[in-house]
């Protein structure tokens, strides 16, 4: 069968047209996690090499006993067969893969495969940051720092869908910032200005609409500016509500400088959002609530994601390709 096969850690997966069939065609988003595993820089390892890459994807169910030419199906199995699903498994960048039934989510009939393949990772990085780690409540005001990437754009839309009364966004890409206004953002703040200009604009925003929740995809210097602007407002007795910062990424740097005095002067809480910090309930809700909801929102046209699509045969050329800002790379497997 056709597959993207890794022969050695640190190398780019290669397209093979006749790799051994493990188990229907699928479409898969290539994520940083997939690349980290292939580089050998992640704790997840393949049992042996060569191995087919990919941790999740969209495909159609074929029952295992049907593959083995056994026609003894019960009614529940027959209802499950031929269903189009999102699935988590291993070796997903191939024409066939084994998945467990409890690790699948049905895809609405009117949602295309490409969007369905691109959404899950972005939903994990936004829905759980907003709801599980951010504890977003209806009517609250959200600031999304670094919202011009794929996950940030999904976070803007989900924040509104989850009931945020106002969403303010920051970013450097002017084209993507303008697009965020069409996706539901109420105000955009460019990070291309001087520190003083950015702080002044943030201070004005806080005076008009005090922030309840900050979802941060940048860390580094931008989060310092945000906290500095909050500190200056506290000095003028204008901040009264507690603020939670949820750090999801570190595109602007892994470290930042937050003086102890700031944490003692602000009603501020800083938490992380990632595999190690999700609550058990939150991780369960990702599969039983947030992802199914996101697929339905997308099917209804309420949730949009931009993609760049390539065929499996091109995997070596596009594996490390720099995709246009705000787009998710999706590999189409036919």
């Amino acid at each position: 069968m056709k597959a993207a096969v890794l022969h050695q850690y640190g190398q780019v997966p290669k397209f093979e047209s006749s790799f051994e069939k493990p188990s229907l065609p699928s479409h898969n988003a290539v994520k940083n996690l997939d690349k980290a595993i292939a580089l050998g820089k992640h704790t997840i390892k393949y049992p042996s090499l060569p191995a087919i890459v990919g941790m999740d994807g969209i495909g159609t169910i074929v029952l295992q006993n049907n593959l083995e030419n056994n026609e003894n199906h019960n009614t529940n199995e027959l209802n499950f067969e031929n269903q189009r699903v999102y699935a988590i498994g291993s070796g997903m960048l191939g024409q066939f893969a084994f998945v467990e039934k409890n690790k699948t989510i049905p895809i609405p009939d009117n949602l295309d495969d490409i969007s369905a393949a691109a959404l899950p990772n972005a939903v994990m990085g936004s829905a759980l940051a907003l709801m599980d780690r951010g504890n977003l409540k209806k009517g609250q005001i959200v600031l999304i720092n670094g919202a011009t990437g794929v996950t940030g754009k999904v976070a803007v839309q989900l924040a509104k869908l989850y009931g945020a009364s106002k969403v303010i966004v920051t970013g450097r890409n002017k084209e993507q910032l303008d697009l965020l206004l069409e996706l539901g953002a109420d105000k955009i703040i460019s990070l291309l200005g001087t520190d003083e200009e950015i702080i002044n604009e943030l201070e004005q925003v806080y005076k008009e609409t005090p922030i309840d929740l900050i979802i941060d995809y940048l860390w580094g210097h931008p989060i310092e500016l945000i906290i500095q602007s909050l500190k200056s407002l506290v000095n003028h007795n204008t901040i009264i509500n507690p603020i939670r910062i949820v750090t999801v990424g570190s595109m602007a740097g892994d470290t930042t400088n937050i003086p102890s005095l700031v944490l003692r002067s602000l009603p501020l809480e800083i938490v992380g959002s990632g595999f190690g910090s999700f609550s058990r309930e939150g991780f369960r809700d990702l599969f039983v609530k947030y992802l199914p909801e996101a697929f339905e929102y997308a099917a209804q046209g309420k949730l949009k994601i931009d993609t760049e699509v390539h065929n499996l045969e091109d995997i070596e050329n596009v594996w490390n390709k720099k995709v246009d800002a705000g787009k998710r790379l999706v590999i189409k497997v036919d």
Side-chain angles (χ1 to χ4, degrees), residues 59-62 79-85 101 104-107:
T60 306
I61 294 296
V62 173
N79 290 336
F80 189 52
E81 189 169 25
N82 296 322
Q83 189 172 38
R84 198 166 56 108
V85 299
K101 182 177 179 180
T104 64
I105 300 173
I107 302 300

Side-chain angles (χ1 to χ4, degrees), residues 273-293:
S273 181
F275 280 111
S277 62
F278 298 145
S279 69
R280 182 175 298 178
E281 294 78 12
F283 202 71
R284 178 202 63 207
D285 286 347
L286 174 66
F287 294 96
V288 302
K289 181 180 180 181
Y290 300 131
L291 274 173
E293 276 184 348

Side-chain angles (χ1 to χ4, degrees), residues 80-296:
F80 189 52
E81 189 169 25
N82 296 322
Q83 189 172 38
R84 198 166 56 108
V85 299
Y86 164 74
I88 293 177
S90 61
M92 298 295 287
L93 266 175
Q95 288 181 296
F96 299 87
F98 277 119
V99 298
E100 298 177 27
K101 182 177 179 180
N102 64 355
K103 294 182 179 179
T104 64
I105 300 173
I107 302 300
D109 291 340
N110 52 338
L111 179 61
D112 65 278
D113 284 345
I114 302 303
S115 296
L119 275 170
N121 189 253
V123 171
M124 178 185 293
S126 54
L128 291 183
L130 288 163
M131 304 303 291
D132 183 54
R133 304 300 290 154
N135 197 25
L136 174 65
K137 299 290 190 292
K138 289 185 177 180
Q140 289 188 325
I141 297 171
V142 180
L143 169 65
I144 300 178
N145 187 37
T148 56
V150 175
T151 305
K153 290 165 67 176
V154 170
V156 170
Q157 298 171 81
L158 288 181
K160 278 300 187 70
L161 289 166
Y162 294 158
S165 62
K166 192 169 186 177
V167 176
I168 300 114
V169 299
T170 73
R172 296 176 59 87
N173 187 306
K174 184 182 185 305
E175 180 182 351
Q176 294 298 315
L177 280 175
D178 291 339
L179 177 61
L180 287 170
L181 291 172
E182 301 176 18
L183 296 178
D186 296 281
K187 182 174 178 58
I188 59 176
I189 298 174
S190 173
L191 297 178
L192 292 175
T194 65
D195 288 0
E196 183 179 1
E197 290 171 338
I198 295 169
I199 290 172
N200 288 340
E201 191 164 4
L202 286 166
E203 288 178 355
Q204 186 59 41
V205 167
Y206 297 150
K207 289 175 183 177
E208 296 171 356
T209 53
I211 304 298
D212 300 290
L213 175 63
I214 298 172
I215 305 296
D216 173 60
Y217 293 101
L218 299 180
W219 204 242
H221 188 56
I223 199 66
E224 288 183 26
L225 298 180
I226 287 175
I227 293 175
Q228 186 176 340
S229 64
L230 289 170
K231 178 64 168 63
S232 66
L233 290 179
V234 170
N235 289 337
H236 290 89
N237 298 315
T238 56
I239 286 199
I240 57 174
N241 60 310
I243 302 170
R244 174 174 290 194
I245 296 177
V246 180
T247 172
V248 189
S250 53
M251 295 297 293
D254 290 326
T255 61
T256 194
N257 180 25
I258 304 176
S260 172
L261 178 62
V262 171
L263 297 179
R264 288 182 277 122
S265 304
L266 283 168
L268 186 65
E269 180 182 8
I270 302 176
V271 301
S273 181
F275 280 111
S277 62
F278 298 145
S279 69
R280 182 175 298 178
E281 294 78 12
F283 202 71
R284 178 202 63 207
D285 286 347
L286 174 66
F287 294 96
V288 302
K289 181 180 180 181
Y290 300 131
L291 274 173
E293 276 184 348
F295 289 144
E296 288 294 341

Side-chain angles (χ1 to χ4, degrees), residues 24 60-67 70-71 73-85 101:
L24 289 164
T60 306
I61 294 296
V62 173
L63 297 177
Q64 183 176 353
N65 51 3
N66 189 29
L67 287 170
N70 183 337
E71 300 300 328
H73 302 302
N74 62 39
T75 302
N76 289 334
E77 286 178 331
L78 289 173
N79 290 336
F80 189 52
E81 189 169 25
N82 296 322
Q83 189 172 38
R84 198 166 56 108
V85 299
K101 182 177 179 180

Side-chain angles (χ1 to χ4, degrees), residues 310-327:
H310 292 274
N311 293 322
L312 180 63
E313 288 82 354
D314 299 323
I315 190 67
E316 289 183 67
N317 295 326
V318 302
W319 183 257
N320 290 320
K321 184 178 186 295
K322 185 176 180 180
V323 181
D324 291 342
K327 290 187 177 182

